[in-house]
Amino acid sequence: SLKEAAGLTVVQVVASSLVSWWAFRRERLVHLPLAMTMGAGAALGGLAGGAVSGYLPERALELVFLGAVLAALALLLLPPLDAPAPPDKMPHYNPFLAAGLGLLVGALAGLLGAGGGFLVVPLLLGGMRLPTRLAIGTAPVVVLLGGAAGFAGKLLGGQVEPRLAAALVLGASPCAYLG
């Protein structure tokens, strides 16, 4: 079911985002202050979404998922900012916008078990106007914070099957690092 898949997916999201962040930080492609601000909102939203998801009907979750995918596609149609970030200085950002977008992404991650990878990058590109490589490198930290809180909510609700989750993490983590 979608609920069972979301419980497994959120575990893989946490593991993959941790591994990805480790790889991107070496290249200095992580806007850590922005990621922490957006990630704090994502953590709050993730915990709430993860806790609530067990009470929602499958159809409602499917419709939320469809809406999130369509929003991500629309954001990707915005023209990218191709200017590279200065090597010693990160771009300025609006902390209130970052926290609000994080709250939204975290709630989706908690509800659906996903929402980070396919929605955070378009939001960092279109909403926060980050250069592409910096957005891709910053996203795993935001996803990690929101996903960890979503995982906690799903775990408290008994929505995670540990053996399947462990197998998924073992299989996906090396690929996240290579990617």
Side-chain angles (χ1 to χ4, degrees):
S1 72
L2 181 60
K3 289 183 183 183
E4 292 167 327
L8 291 173
T9 304
V10 75
V11 175
Q12 186 274 327
V13 163
V14 169
S16 293
S17 58
L18 180 61
V19 171
S20 297
W21 168 57
W22 182 258
F24 283 115
R25 71 166 186 76
R26 291 181 313 175
E27 301 295 322
R28 300 182 194 266
L29 291 172
V30 177
H31 192 317
L32 196 55
L34 169 59
M36 296 303 284
T37 302
M38 197 169 179
L44 291 173
L47 184 59
V52 168
S53 67
Y55 301 104
L56 295 177
E58 292 271 335
R59 190 59 158 172
L61 292 173
E62 290 170 355
L63 291 172
V64 169
F65 190 79
L66 175 63
V69 169
L70 292 175
L73 287 172
L75 284 169
L76 287 173
L77 294 175
L78 293 174
L81 180 65
D82 290 326
D88 56 344
K89 188 175 173 187
M90 290 291 170
H92 292 286
Y93 68 97
N94 179 330
F96 299 107
L97 177 61
L101 292 175
L103 187 68
L104 171 67
V105 166
L108 289 172
L111 284 171
L112 305 172
F118 78 89
L119 193 54
V120 172
V121 171
L123 286 172
L124 288 170
L125 290 170
M128 300 307 299
R129 304 302 295 156
L130 286 187
T132 302
R133 289 183 46 83
L134 188 59
I136 291 169
T138 301
V141 180
V142 177
V143 173
L144 174 62
L145 294 171
F151 169 66
K154 288 192 176 300
L155 196 60
L156 290 171
Q159 300 176 61
V160 178
E161 205 289 288
R163 286 180 291 180
L164 290 176
L168 187 60
V169 167
L170 288 173
S173 294
C175 295
Y177 183 79
L178 292 173

